[in-house]
Amino acid sequence: MTHTLPVPRALLVPCLAVLAGLAAALPAQAQSLSAEEIGLNIATEAREKGRGFGNFTARQTMLLRNKQGQESRRELRVKVLEVEGDGDRSLFVFDEPRDVAGTAMLIHGHTDAADDQWLYLPALTRVKRISSANRSGSFMGSEFSYEDMSVPEVEKFTYRYLRDEPCGDLNCTVVERFPTEERSGYLRQVVWQDKDELRVWKVEYFDRKDSHLKTLTLSDYVLYLDRFWQASEQNMVNHLTGKSTLLTWSDFQFGAEIDEAEFTQTGLRRAR
């Protein structure tokens, strides 16, 4: 894996992480903790480090490539509101091209229940709820599913630490996580995080038949507010179709003036 320098907790894939002290202590801990406990500890500490950002806005470019290398581009805006005691709320609004302009997606994340997701389709002037059964479907024709657009909350997985290994110039922990939701499109995921900051550098996704379906790589991390590492690029490759989607993030603004009413179904209809 090449080393270039997880999005806030909001995406998602985005996003997002650390375990200070575990890296150095891991060999000793491994003697007293199970692989499952170590994996859970890494995920929990990563979440704690990612907390406290409040809110942010950003821009995103979505570059879709098919197996023949043909490309199409989409531009969108993102707003994320941190919610204490529950999952974050995220709003995605498409600006370009013209045929998708005004399309918007709203996510109410939850730590102890399935996330609520809605999609506003301007051509139909209606809000469509995304059911749990449809979350493995493609988000706006990309290689990211609706499930991928939600934050991977700690409580929605069980974990197993696998090993340490080099990743570029860094040393990474490799942890396997298993979705607890019965309707997840994935049997398991394997996550590479650097041991210094636990930034996510790669995630491998395995479908319900345990076939390696997709790989997400993250790169060009930037440190914001001297606390929060954000990946500027996320590239999702589908190994079955040969298609890929590159998400490029820019114009992060933390502490922006955000109206909470935007993160409602009524607000979703008005998103522009």
Side-chain angles (χ1 to χ4, degrees):
M1 185 190 314
T2 57
H3 169 214
T4 52
L5 287 176
V7 266
R9 290 176 58 245
L11 217 212
L12 1 117
V13 146
C15 316
L16 310 146
V18 167
L19 189 55
L22 179 64
L26 191 56
Q29 286 189 348
Q31 298 176 11
S32 58
L33 295 179
S34 68
E36 290 74 16
E37 290 171 323
I38 295 173
L40 176 59
N41 284 347
I42 293 173
T44 301
E45 293 299 327
R47 174 180 62 186
E48 292 306 310
K49 178 134 188 197
R51 282 179 167 169
F53 64 87
N55 68 59
F56 74 87
T57 62
R59 295 200 65 85
Q60 188 183 89
T61 297
M62 178 183 287
L63 185 64
L64 287 70
R65 295 189 180 98
N66 64 19
K67 188 174 183 179
Q68 291 72 38
Q70 297 172 318
E71 299 180 347
S72 59
R73 185 182 302 268
R74 294 172 177 174
E75 301 290 338
L76 57 154
R77 288 167 285 132
V78 183
K79 296 183 180 182
V80 176
L81 180 67
E82 188 174 28
V83 178
E84 186 174 352
D86 203 359
D88 301 334
R89 297 187 176 183
S90 307
L91 178 64
F92 303 84
V93 183
F94 285 81
D95 292 326
E96 297 179 12
R98 188 173 179 177
D99 62 342
V100 298
T103 301
M105 181 181 180
L106 174 65
I107 301 174
H108 286 191
H110 302 295
T111 57
D112 57 357
D115 292 352
D116 294 309
Q117 296 183 333
W118 300 271
L119 189 68
Y120 174 67
L121 303 169
L124 302 178
T125 63
R126 72 181 182 92
V127 173
K128 173 185 176 182
R129 185 181 183 90
I130 307 300
S131 69
S132 297
N134 294 328
R135 300 226 173 128
S136 60
S138 168
F139 173 60
M140 296 297 290
S142 75
E143 297 315 303
F144 288 83
S145 68
Y146 289 100
E147 182 176 353
D148 298 332
M149 302 304 292
S150 290
V151 176
E153 296 289 350
V154 172
E155 293 82 357
K156 293 182 178 179
F157 298 85
T158 59
Y159 301 85
R160 181 169 62 192
Y161 165 77
L162 298 179
R163 61 186 180 275
D164 289 357
E165 68 180 29
C167 50
D169 298 331
L170 302 173
N171 290 316
C172 280
T173 59
V174 185
V175 172
E176 196 170 33
R177 64 189 184 196
F178 302 85
T180 57
E181 291 189 36
E182 292 183 359
R183 294 191 172 182
S184 171
Y186 305 116
L187 177 67
R188 61 189 177 98
Q189 303 167 13
V190 182
V191 183
W192 279 255
Q193 297 168 277
D194 67 77
K195 295 178 68 174
D196 290 334
E197 299 291 344
L198 277 194
R199 293 164 294 192
V200 176
W201 294 95
K202 184 171 77 168
V203 183
E204 292 182 345
Y205 297 86
F206 293 81
D207 64 19
R208 302 298 297 183
K209 296 180 180 180
D210 205 22
S211 297
H212 185 188
L213 176 63
K214 300 187 296 190
T215 298
L216 173 68
T217 55
L218 302 94
S219 60
D220 295 334
Y221 273 92
V222 177
L223 183 64
Y224 293 92
L225 305 180
D226 295 323
R227 288 183 58 192
F228 305 109
W229 287 101
Q230 310 298 339
S232 299
E233 292 191 348
Q234 298 172 279
N235 190 42
M236 183 75 85
V237 176
N238 189 313
H239 301 293
L240 299 186
T241 65
K243 297 179 180 179
S244 66
T245 299
L246 175 65
L247 299 182
T248 302
W249 294 75
S250 62
D251 298 337
F252 277 100
Q253 294 186 27
F254 288 82
E257 291 188 10
I258 292 181
D259 184 354
E260 292 189 23
E262 295 182 81
F263 297 87
T264 64
Q265 291 186 61
T266 299
L268 185 61
R269 294 176 180 273
R270 300 171 181 168
R272 297 289 184 273

